[in-house]
Amino acid sequence: CEDEWSNLIRKDNYFNQEQRTTDPKQQGSSSSTPFPSSSARSIPFLPQSTMPFSSYLGSRRPTTSVFSHTLPTTKPKNHHHHQTRPKPRFRRLHLRDLILSLSLLLSLLLLLFLLLHFPLSPSPSPSSPRASRLRPRFRRSNTVTAVASSREREGAVVDVTTKELYERIEFRDEDGGAWKQGWRVEYKGDEWDAERLKVFVVPHSHNDPGWKLTVEEYYERQSRHILDTIVETLEKDARRKFIWEEMSYLQRWWKDASESKKESFKNLVSNGQLEIVGGGWVMNDEANSHYYAIIEQMTEGNLWLNETIGFIPRNAWAIDPFGYSPTMAYLLRRMGFENMLIQRTHYELKKELARHKNLEFIWRQSWDFEETTDIFVHMMPFYSYDIPHTCGPEPAVCCQFDFARMRGFMYEFCPWRKNPVETNQDNVQERAELLLDQYRKKSTLYRTNTLLVPLGDDFRYVSVDEAEAQFRNYQMLFDYINSNPGLNAEAKFGTLDDYFHALREEADRVNYSRPGEVGSGEIEGFPSLSGDFFTYADRQQDYWSGYYVSRPFFKAVDRVLEHTLRATEMLMALVFGHCHRVQCEKLTTSFAYKLAAARRNLALFQHHD
């Protein structure tokens, strides 16, 4: 307390001296830059010429806000034309002494209260009855304790660390041919004799809550029509599947949808045709977002999903964040997620993992020697998550199976000048074998014979005609593959849960573990990995790191909202927990919508774009 009051006295003397200093503007000086305040100097990365933060809070009063020392302001100082005589300071000194005395008195009362209610009791002697009751029934040996302490100091034992990968990779950016960032993938043909290839094609649509357009513009132009299309097309055929990630758009659509569409949507979720993956309000960034904001956006989305539809996701889907943090994997595991999928990692790192069939692994925290944070991860191997880069290593071939690029649709043709054509009985054999060849080549990059093939892109399936073109053509190709046992393959539409369930079932039957591999008790047959996946580069020397330091003012506003929301939630919890009167319940109920709006605004800002 004495240190704090000393600092306050020194600061008060400084401000008194500053008030007595003559303003250069009053002397007719040409200088227009005032001396920066202490609050502005404490945050040097923020611009000095920005709008006052009171405009964000909606306050019109010219009083000093609690945030005035947190963010910069352009509010001009009041300049007096006539220099006034300084007021006597004895009143201020008496008030300061009174406050100091009251503070000391309250501190003594608090200490007395703690001593009375929580007396300091001496530690019991070894011979006392209380000491005998506190002794553990089984004493841990010194050897076990030493081993545990040694493991704690060393951290987690894993098969792969990203630090070692980055040190080993030479980053040559060699041209791999058709798979430009890889190599020429080949297979013998007998790899699927004992265990046939099982292909799960997962239709999806990546809906960014704000990118080139605003959230509302994207919703009105595309997202609302995409959700309408999903309901209409999946109901026509039970074999069709789809996954959805962003709750911000789903909640908006839910307000506008008819009761019949809502009921159809629930039925599709309950029968497994439609899976909600992640369940967050957005697909959050993992480099700049604070862990509290990540928890808030995941909580807000999943609470709405559970209360509205009654569904709890178990699989996470993160195809677009620019690099991945182990903190996100830790949070997902603690939230109850079992599996996750990632895409945007350095292309040379993908190549190195693919060479050793380590693209699927158990992500473990570097400090977790007890393996309590393990989560299974599927890393996509190629350049992007669009259709040309998901069916196999040759994008020129995969693009021919993006049937939304046929004539009559709004999407561009394939840049490799080989466009998709309608599948019919005359060409189904040739087209199916060409597609299956890509599936087989892709499967050689993984350990199991269960293969995941995403089928989608940004804001896809915007119309029923587009969705029908994809589902109709692929179903014909699947029927041909499944009706020929000699191909040793089975292909069908699936969800992320379908894929992970089939993969875990195969891993239980077939041992894919390698000699000396640490692995994990979470699932057998896969390596364990620790570390992060920053910095992301998608090609050549294009490192995605500028967003680490861009827009500092908005990032500061985000942090202010975070700690304000956190403090408000704590106060509301205390009020609701200790006050059981009707008036208190009305207070929390009437204030809940404001908290929800604050959470959703904070969550929207965590979007990776």
Side-chain angles (χ1 to χ4, degrees), residues 179-244:
W179 179 16
K180 193 172 182 64
Q181 297 173 339
W183 65 89
R184 184 179 178 181
V185 181
E186 296 178 341
Y187 57 87
K188 299 177 181 178
D190 59 351
E191 290 87 345
W192 304 277
D193 290 344
E195 184 78 23
R196 67 176 178 173
L197 180 63
K198 300 177 290 296
V199 183
F200 290 89
V201 177
V202 181
H204 71 97
S205 180
H206 181 60
N207 287 244
D208 288 304
W211 181 33
K212 295 180 179 179
L213 302 176
T214 65
V215 180
E216 189 65 24
E217 288 172 339
Y218 273 133
Y219 173 75
E220 292 294 340
R221 298 183 189 184
Q222 293 169 301
S223 296
R224 66 181 301 177
H225 304 295
I226 294 171
L227 287 163
D228 289 337
T229 298
I230 293 171
V231 174
E232 184 174 346
T233 54
L234 293 188
E235 284 186 317
K236 296 179 180 179
D237 192 339
R239 297 173 295 181
R240 297 176 176 180
K241 302 291 184 76
F242 207 92
I243 63 172
W244 185 266

Side-chain angles (χ1 to χ4, degrees), residues 60 106 488:
R60 298 182 179 180
L106 290 175
N488 288 330

Side-chain angles (χ1 to χ4, degrees), residues 555-580:
K555 289 175 180 175
V557 175
D558 168 79
R559 291 297 194 263
V560 170
L561 177 57
E562 284 179 24
H563 70 65
T564 305
L565 178 60
R566 177 60 176 159
T568 306
E569 288 178 337
M570 294 170 67
L571 290 175
M572 294 300 295
L574 289 172
V575 171
F576 194 71
H578 291 278
C579 181
H580 300 286

Side-chain angles (χ1 to χ4, degrees), residues 16 21 122 135 175 186 219 226 262 397 442 493 566 607:
N16 292 333
T21 303
R135 288 172 185 165
D175 192 340
E186 296 178 341
Y219 173 75
I226 294 171
K262 293 179 182 179
V397 176
K442 182 178 181 179
F493 294 114
R566 177 60 176 159
H607 172 55

